[in-house]
Amino acid sequence: MEFAELIKTPRADNVILHRPFYPAVEGTLCLTGHHLILSSRRQDNAEELWLLHSNIDSIEKRFVGSLGTIIIKCKDLRIIQLDIPGMEECLNIASSIEALSTLDSVTLMYPFFYRPMFEVVEDGWHSFLPEREFELLSSVTNEWRLSYVNKEFSVCPSYPPAVTVPKSIDDEALRRVATFRHGGRFPVLSYYHKKNGMVMMRSSQPLTGTNGRRCKEDSALINATLRAGKRGYIIDTRSLNVAQQARAKGGGFEQEVQYPQWRRIHKSVERYNILQESLIKLVEACNDQSHNMDRWLSKLEASNWLTHVKEILTAACLAGQCIDREGASVLVHGTEGTDSTLQITSLAQIILDPRCRTIRGFEALVEREWLQAGHPFRLRCAQSAYSNSKQKWESPVFFLFLDCVWQILRQFPCSFEFNEHFLIMLFEHAYASQFGTFLGNNESERCKLKLSQKTMSLWSWVNQPEELRKFKNPLFEANSLVIWPSVAPQSLQLWEGVFLRWNRSSKFLDEAYEEMNNIIEYNKELQAKVNALRRQLAELETDDGMQENS
Amino acid sequence: MGTLYLTATHVIFVENVSETHKETWILHSQISSIEKQATTVTGCPLLIRCKNFQIIQLIIPQERDCHDVYISLIRLARPVKYEELYCFSFNPKLDKEEREQGWKLVGLNEEYNRMGVPNNYWQISDVNRDYQVCDSYPTEVYVPKSATAHIIVGSSKFRSRRRFPALSYYCKDNNASICRSSQPLSGFSARCLEDEQMLQAIRKANPGSNFIYVVDTRPKINAMANRAAGKGYENEDNYSNIKFQFIGIENIHVMRSSLQKMLEVCELKSPSMSDFLWGLENSGWLKHIKAIMDAGIFIAKAVAEEGVSVLVHCSDGWDRTAQVCSVASLLLDPFYRTIKGFMVSKYGYLDGDPKEISPVIDQFIECVWQLMEQFPCAFEFNERFLIHIQHHIYSCQFGNFLCNGQKERRELKIQERTYSLWAHLWKNRANYMNPLYREDHSQTQGTLLPQTAPCNFLYK
């Protein structure tokens, strides 16, 4: 194992740890292959810090005399400081941390070494398979089939082995359509709207190029989702200009001539690389302690983060409206179909489908529309807001999606089975985790790495009743509504639970949440009592009745 | 589509929809401005902006009618005499006793007793019993024990509008107090022995500290400009044992413009996120809220943590002083976070001219709301309570907020001729309760110290 080589100094004493909300504490620092651990000198030798190396974005070293300081900036936006006596020790530890937090090989990551402390009742790797989802679908419609054309990942490397396509389209046709779409991502079913039978499909851009290449199987595929005489909408997440320019590189958009029954709408959503810059600026603004009111709002505005939130929510509402209000089917795509496309299809389902607002429904959504759909998590979540890397693959695409879900959750506090903590937990695990769920860029990679055999699934842990309890929303009242979020600027707030999490204590808000929980629990108890007493009363009344008659 | 009615007190719009006949009532006193907009094909639009930030657009088919309505509303919305105000004609059909009881619900003297005065350090002075010393102060004022009538009168002559330092809040745990006044007429070099003695008296009333803070809530520039007019601020050289502090809160003109800009932002049709955030920052509204909050925190910390008394003033000791003292007492004393307590705090501090449009109330209410957002368990009342109070301050339906002080209120016989808002709210208090509030909750105890980093101020 290479870890031992990377760790220059496995241990240092008299290290002082500074972290948010706790007073500085002194203890012994240990470096393992996967963690940074600080145990304090308190009686119980408690671990004050247990940090995954993979959670580290970047570190800074500073020296004052012989006292070295390492400032660790984490992907979950926490900033931690370690004061290490002795310059050489400090340097060794710093370079060890740097090496350990920038490991290339996936198989060296912690999920491959993690041994769960809990009993695995449900194997999360098999909880949300395409077969299961398809079963649910076939109970309401028989116009679709599950195709295994991609079971060797040879037709589309970023798709799962099984995809849902219209029944009338055979595998041969799918193979041809795959050659016509960027990265082989031919249109597949994303969502079926029970209320009116309309569907949402997603894909990548068509490879029309400058010659206006066409593919009749592609038109046939998406036309198969249209009802007789009805039109569909294609939502292109690029502006018309960008879509047109894409032709020069072999890409393009669906020409009206080839797709006469489809109306194309360009709803521009920012590309993933812009999002990363946005995040960096926003986090900088939040960490700025200068307390100057004058610049706060303009810094917030300059980061554009909330503008992105607004954009995506608007696009998702548009897709939702086409399906629910216009009663039309929709095809969503951008360029690669792995980023903004997925943001929109998954958010549209939150709006349209109450099932996606339940805990299991949301987990299934993440599995379907993000993990199995091939969002490149390993590339996108390699670094977060404190990134100092020059690469352009990192981007908070999934994080932005979670932010949008939070916005809707805040506007409709009774419509979600899960609470904010659930979303924050997903944010954390997407970037660094002991579970293998978010490793890999697509199902093909996950198969090759044998993740389902060698690592534990996040869902196995989350879905244990004791854990779920923390993530349940006490205000939840199941409803079957389509919920339309407001995208007016006043309605969109900064997600303090994540962005200001380490800057100010949430103690009072937590207390309020607990109080709310208590009130609801108490209410339930009283309600149960009332029910029991009513039953008693009913019994007594029938007893009396019987006695009178006898 | 519907019918518009104008009565002596209201504008009423009744919808033509057959079953519901929904009515929209607007009090004339709620109207902030009326704008006649350009005639379109459908008719003449009339835009009514209300003081509770509601905006109504009426499209009147005939130009002539529109003009008539416009002229009428302009006249009705600007009452010339007090008697025209709604509160004098509002009749909720309560009998005389109920009306009296309503006014007795909240009383200044009970409040001072609750705080623990009069006592060894503070006394009630009746030097102003005929409003001879200061006509905008009540007949009974609370002053330090060592402040003789001579000192009070002398000090009042050295203060703008004769508003000498008087007790506003007393902390019985450590004897620290908050006093209010107006600015001293110090000019560049004037002195007044009695005024200096007055401040000494305040200091002596708190044996736990050997100095007091004097807080001027104006920006330094404004205070200095006042010196040229023979007014100004306390010179630390002349007043022994004071620590002087400017906490710049802008004046009413700046605030009005800030409010105006913010309303414009809110009225934007389909703004982008950038438009909104830029506009909000440009208005400076949240910056002012933060300034008021910071001032309140400074005073609260001085009293609760340092145990030092504070004298607060601005120019005339009305608006900014009141705001800042109210915020400070809210932070210090859990009593003011109850429904009863909040009504008391408003009663004691609101002396202002409602005929003037001032955002002071709106700012104070927003400060309270920001606090409620940071401390959801600490307040007995909810957001609706604040909104209703704000509504009624401008509605003039109740007599609580008329006039500049007790003297005018007595002259106009407010208590005999109008009804009290507090009684009305108290009766409906079930609607205003905050379910998360518990008296014994840790959040409700003691002093609140909110976070004032800019990111903590929400917009909603």
Side-chain angles (χ1 to χ4, degrees):
Chain A
M1 199 176 350
E2 299 142 41
F3 292 126
E5 297 162 10
L6 297 171
I7 306 175
K8 294 204 181 104
T9 306
R11 185 197 151 105
D13 290 310
N14 306 321
V15 173
I16 301 181
L17 166 70
H18 304 266
R19 65 210 149 133
F21 308 132
Y22 292 91
V25 63
E26 190 178 317
T28 304
L29 183 71
C30 293
L31 282 172
T32 71
H34 298 108
H35 290 94
L36 197 62
I37 305 168
L38 188 109
S39 350
S40 73
R41 290 223 220 90
R42 281 187 356 221
Q43 320 88 303
D44 49 0
N45 255 342
E47 270 101 32
E48 307 286 350
L49 179 70
W50 189 280
L51 185 69
L52 268 172
H53 293 310
S54 54
N55 195 1
I56 298 176
D57 240 353
S58 63
I59 63 173
E60 271 169 40
K61 304 182 280 283
R62 277 188 221 154
F63 295 97
V64 179
S66 70
L67 184 70
T69 297
I70 299 180
I71 296 178
I72 301 176
K73 297 189 176 172
C74 302
K75 293 176 186 166
D76 62 4
L77 308 184
R78 213 183 339 179
I79 300 182
I80 292 173
Q81 184 177 315
L82 296 168
D83 297 333
I84 301 172
M87 194 184 287
E88 197 185 322
E89 267 203 325
C90 183
L91 282 169
N92 282 341
I93 290 180
S95 63
S96 308
I97 295 177
E98 257 160 8
L100 290 166
S101 59
T102 49
L103 292 173
D104 260 337
S105 168
V106 183
T107 49
L108 289 177
M109 308 221 75
Y110 188 48
F112 286 92
F113 299 87
Y114 171 68
R115 297 280 168 269
M117 303 292 229
F118 57 90
E119 189 198 327
V120 180
V121 175
E122 175 199 342
D123 181 5
W125 287 113
H126 300 120
S127 303
F128 305 107
L129 294 173
E131 284 78 7
R132 171 86 184 102
E133 294 298 303
F134 185 71
E135 231 178 82
L136 291 170
L137 179 69
S138 6
S139 63
V140 287
T141 170
N142 56 4
E143 290 166 0
W144 298 84
R145 71 177 184 95
L146 201 58
S147 162
Y148 287 92
V149 70
N150 196 40
K151 70 174 184 294
E152 311 286 325
F153 306 105
S154 50
V155 175
C156 173
S158 59
Y159 267 177
V163 286
T164 308
V165 293
K167 213 172 212 164
S168 54
I169 311 290
D170 62 28
D171 282 358
E172 210 24 64
L174 291 177
R175 282 201 187 87
R176 274 187 229 124
V177 180
T179 60
F180 183 63
R181 291 276 174 180
H182 187 126
R185 291 174 72 88
F186 54 88
V188 293
L189 179 72
S190 166
Y191 168 69
Y192 177 86
H193 195 44
K194 287 207 260 292
K195 205 163 103 184
N196 57 14
M198 292 299 116
V199 299
M200 182 162 57
M201 303 190 78
R202 54 173 159 79
S203 69
S204 56
Q205 66 172 338
L207 300 172
T208 44
T210 42
N211 289 332
R213 195 180 142 208
R214 56 169 79 171
C215 171
K216 63 181 194 306
E217 286 85 357
D218 189 272
S219 337
L221 201 171
I222 63 175
N223 287 345
T225 67
L226 293 174
R227 293 258 181 287
K230 295 211 80 179
R231 307 174 72 190
Y233 289 93
I234 298 178
I235 300 182
D236 190 327
T237 64
R238 306 163 293 180
S239 67
L240 180 56
N241 256 337
V242 172
Q244 282 167 335
Q245 284 163 15
R247 286 184 294 194
K249 294 197 209 133
F253 52 91
E254 293 82 353
Q255 313 269 48
E256 287 83 352
V257 204
Q258 270 91 52
Y259 300 84
Q261 291 160 283
W262 294 83
R263 223 179 116 211
R264 215 175 60 242
I265 307 177
H266 288 272
K267 198 91 183 100
S268 170
V269 168
E270 205 56 79
R271 271 188 72 66
Y272 66 83
N273 49 334
I274 308 285
L275 295 183
Q276 177 70 356
E277 283 186 28
S278 203
L279 177 67
I280 293 176
K281 278 200 192 135
L282 176 59
V283 173
E284 251 175 49
C286 292
N287 286 341
D288 180 359
Q289 300 290 331
S290 71
H291 281 230
N292 192 331
M293 192 78 214
D294 272 343
R295 296 198 329 264
W296 161 246
L297 286 175
S298 53
K299 278 193 185 174
L300 182 62
E301 187 274 322
S303 76
N304 267 331
W305 182 261
L306 287 173
T307 303
H308 300 317
V309 169
K310 185 179 190 319
E311 242 171 28
I312 294 172
L313 276 174
T314 309
C317 283
L318 175 66
Q321 275 171 335
C322 291
I323 295 173
D324 187 69
R325 294 279 168 86
E326 300 274 327
S329 285
V330 167
L331 169 68
V332 183
H333 72 75
T335 307
E336 296 101 348
T338 53
D339 298 289
S340 57
T341 306
L342 305 179
Q343 284 171 327
I344 294 175
T345 57
S346 46
L347 273 173
Q349 291 178 58
I350 300 270
I351 290 171
L352 294 167
D353 186 5
R355 181 187 163 227
C356 294
R357 294 174 231 139
T358 62
I359 293 185
R360 284 198 86 85
F362 190 77
E363 291 172 356
L365 179 72
V366 171
E367 269 284 334
R368 238 180 18 248
E369 297 296 313
W370 289 90
L371 292 163
Q372 289 162 15
H375 176 71
F377 276 99
R378 180 145 149 74
L379 292 174
R380 299 282 179 267
C381 297
Q383 297 240 262
S384 179
Y386 297 121
S387 152
N388 54 8
S389 122
K390 292 291 174 261
Q391 289 181 324
K392 290 299 171 218
W393 304 119
E394 303 87 22
S395 177
V397 177
F398 183 62
F399 180 12
L400 187 53
F401 158 70
L402 292 175
D403 193 325
C404 291
V405 178
W406 177 76
Q407 303 285 349
I408 307 180
L409 169 56
R410 217 177 35 87
Q411 292 187 23
F412 296 90
C414 302
S415 292
F416 288 79
E417 194 187 13
F418 50 86
N419 60 20
E420 188 184 5
H421 299 302
F422 186 69
L423 295 172
I424 297 180
M425 181 269 303
L426 288 173
F427 157 67
E428 289 175 332
H429 282 273
Y431 280 99
S433 176
Q434 63 268 47
F435 303 106
T437 302
F438 288 99
L439 289 181
N441 287 319
N442 48 52
E443 289 299 289
S444 171
E445 279 187 27
R446 291 185 195 115
C447 260
K448 287 204 192 85
L449 293 167
K450 296 202 177 50
L451 288 185
S452 58
Q453 289 117 298
K454 296 192 173 167
T455 71
M456 182 106 301
S457 161
L458 172 66
W459 312 129
S460 309
W461 169 74
V462 168
N463 290 336
Q464 296 174 91
E466 320 84 76
E467 297 299 330
L468 265 187
R469 206 171 296 141
K470 290 184 261 177
F471 301 123
K472 283 209 164 139
N473 172 15
L475 292 172
F476 176 57
E477 277 167 25
N479 60 53
S480 54
L481 300 170
V482 171
I483 56 178
W484 300 103
S486 160
V487 296
Q490 294 94 319
S491 309
L492 303 176
Q493 298 273 339
L494 178 68
W495 191 3
E496 298 129 38
V498 172
F499 291 108
L500 300 181
R501 189 180 182 192
W502 311 110
N503 299 5
R504 56 125 209 248
S505 168
S506 61
K507 172 167 169 246
F508 302 114
L509 297 175
D510 291 339
E511 282 174 1
Y513 185 79
E514 211 188 285
E515 191 60 35
M516 180 176 73
N517 246 330
N518 291 343
I519 293 175
I520 293 175
E521 280 307 313
Y522 183 56
N523 231 20
K524 284 196 188 135
E525 275 174 42
L526 289 178
Q527 188 62 50
K529 260 198 196 137
V530 165
N531 292 342
L533 286 171
R534 281 211 181 111
R535 276 197 300 273
Q536 252 188 353
L537 184 62
E539 278 169 31
L540 288 172
E541 279 174 349
T542 46
D543 279 349
D544 279 345
M546 276 163 60
Q547 282 196 348
E548 277 177 14
N549 289 338
S550 63
Chain B
M1 187 84 88
T3 315
L4 186 70
Y5 298 89
L6 284 177
T7 73
T9 49
H10 288 85
V11 177
I12 310 171
F13 181 79
V14 184
E15 282 177 35
N16 279 347
V17 178
S18 51
E19 295 117 28
T20 49
H21 284 303
K22 182 160 164 247
E23 296 175 3
T24 308
W25 287 56
I26 306 170
L27 272 169
H28 294 314
S29 50
Q30 274 285 9
I31 297 176
S32 156
S33 72
I34 310 149
E35 196 186 312
K36 246 177 90 179
Q37 294 175 312
T39 312
T40 67
V41 243
T42 39
C44 303
L46 205 60
L47 197 68
I48 303 178
R49 285 197 180 80
C50 302
K51 292 173 191 168
N52 64 356
F53 310 125
Q54 211 181 355
I55 300 178
I56 313 251
Q57 191 188 46
L58 297 166
I59 303 189
I60 301 172
Q62 299 286 357
E63 232 262 72
R64 184 67 200 278
D65 293 333
C66 178
H67 190 72
D68 283 344
V69 172
Y70 177 64
I71 298 292
S72 314
L73 282 181
I74 292 218
R75 174 66 185 82
L76 288 166
R78 294 270 178 283
V80 169
K81 296 190 297 237
Y82 270 122
E83 278 71 19
E84 290 179 28
L85 291 173
Y86 184 41
C87 52
F88 290 103
S89 51
F90 171 63
N91 183 3
K93 307 228 178 354
L94 297 173
D95 63 35
K96 181 157 165 291
E97 250 205 54
E98 282 169 313
R99 187 211 300 254
E100 257 177 47
Q101 280 300 88
W103 282 104
K104 286 207 174 61
L105 188 64
V106 162
L108 214 44
N109 279 335
E110 288 89 66
E111 172 52 16
Y112 279 108
N113 286 344
R114 184 198 68 86
M115 289 197 278
V117 291
N119 63 11
N120 289 337
Y121 302 112
W122 295 90
Q123 59 176 342
I124 305 180
S125 167
D126 66 349
V127 70
N128 196 37
R129 60 188 164 281
D130 296 317
Y131 304 105
Q132 298 278 22
V133 179
C134 171
D135 65 1
S136 55
Y137 270 3
T139 50
E140 289 179 336
V141 282
Y142 288 79
V143 294
K145 257 290 173 38
S146 54
T148 62
H150 173 74
I151 291 179
I152 297 173
V153 172
S155 169
S156 77
K157 294 198 179 131
F158 194 64
R159 291 277 165 180
S160 173
R161 293 190 199 263
R162 314 233 288 273
R163 292 169 70 86
F164 55 88
L167 181 68
S168 165
Y169 177 77
Y170 172 73
C171 177
K172 55 170 155 322
D173 296 333
N174 60 12
N175 296 314
S177 62
I178 304 176
C179 292
R180 291 169 53 176
S181 74
S182 58
Q183 64 183 323
L185 303 173
S186 47
F188 286 102
S189 59
R191 289 180 71 157
C192 166
L193 185 62
E194 289 83 5
D195 192 74
E196 290 166 29
Q197 287 171 331
M198 187 67 176
L199 266 62
Q200 290 274 39
I202 295 176
R203 179 183 59 78
K204 282 191 235 164
N206 178 7
S209 164
N210 58 6
F211 73 97
I212 65 170
Y213 282 111
V214 175
V215 169
D216 189 330
T217 59
R218 301 168 291 181
K220 187 165 180 187
I221 296 189
N222 300 23
M224 287 175 66
N226 265 290
R227 284 200 296 185
K231 303 178 195 169
Y233 55 92
E234 293 82 348
N235 187 336
E236 274 185 7
D237 296 330
N238 298 339
Y239 291 83
S240 58
N241 302 326
I242 69 165
K243 279 201 188 141
F244 187 82
Q245 185 90 15
F246 278 114
I247 301 185
I249 299 175
E250 300 290 347
N251 66 23
I252 200 171
H253 306 290
V254 174
M255 298 306 195
R256 260 190 220 138
S257 143
S258 178
L259 178 61
Q260 187 57 38
K261 285 195 196 143
M262 189 184 69
L263 291 177
E264 278 166 25
V265 173
C266 296
E267 279 180 40
L268 288 173
K269 293 212 182 351
S270 323
S272 71
M273 200 74 213
S274 293
D275 292 337
F276 177 70
L277 289 174
W278 258 120
L280 194 58
E281 183 164 89
N282 240 345
S283 74
W285 179 258
L286 287 177
K287 184 175 76 168
H288 300 312
I289 301 291
K290 175 170 154 55
I292 297 167
M293 194 75 94
D294 281 336
I297 293 174
F298 176 83
I299 298 172
K301 275 192 173 159
V303 169
E305 287 177 9
E306 295 182 61
V308 175
S309 295
V310 186
L311 170 66
V312 188
H313 70 77
C314 45
S315 296
D316 293 334
W318 278 335
D319 298 328
R320 283 167 283 187
T321 304
Q323 264 178 343
V324 154
C325 289
S326 299
V327 171
S329 34
L330 209 56
L331 293 172
L332 283 168
D333 195 335
F335 174 66
Y336 297 120
R337 297 175 223 139
T338 61
I339 292 183
K340 194 69 172 305
F342 191 78
M343 302 197 293
V344 168
S345 76
K346 294 310 322 114
Y347 179 77
Y349 298 135
L350 263 185
D351 287 327
D353 192 352
K355 294 203 244 60
E356 260 198 19
I357 300 175
S358 160
V360 170
I361 309 298
D362 300 320
Q363 285 176 325
F364 172 66
I365 290 186
E366 167 135 14
C367 283
V368 181
W369 178 77
Q370 296 279 357
L371 284 173
M372 282 166 63
E373 289 287 305
Q374 285 201 28
F375 300 96
C377 297
F379 291 81
E380 192 188 22
F381 47 83
N382 60 18
E383 195 179 350
R384 193 181 301 147
F385 184 64
L386 293 179
I387 293 178
H388 283 198
I389 291 182
Q390 198 261 4
H391 176 81
H392 281 300
I393 286 174
Y394 294 120
S395 76
C396 296
Q397 189 171 331
F398 300 93
N400 302 69
F401 307 107
L402 301 182
C403 311
N404 292 335
Q406 196 193 62
K407 176 169 182 246
E408 268 187 42
R409 280 197 279 272
R410 286 199 181 157
E411 278 168 9
L412 280 174
K413 293 198 175 26
I414 297 291
Q415 291 201 4
E416 288 85 10
R417 297 162 67 195
T418 70
Y419 292 88
S420 165
L421 171 64
W422 306 131
H424 172 80
L425 292 176
W426 186 250
K427 215 162 49 174
N428 295 320
R429 63 188 179 281
N431 291 340
Y432 304 124
M433 302 291 258
N434 168 17
L436 297 175
Y437 172 75
R438 262 179 26 232
E439 237 186 284
D440 56 346
H441 195 280
S442 62
Q443 223 178 85
T444 61
Q445 313 296 338
T447 316
L448 295 182
L449 287 175
Q451 305 272 353
T452 54
C455 49
N456 289 302
F457 288 90
L458 305 174
Y459 51 80
K460 232 179 15 173

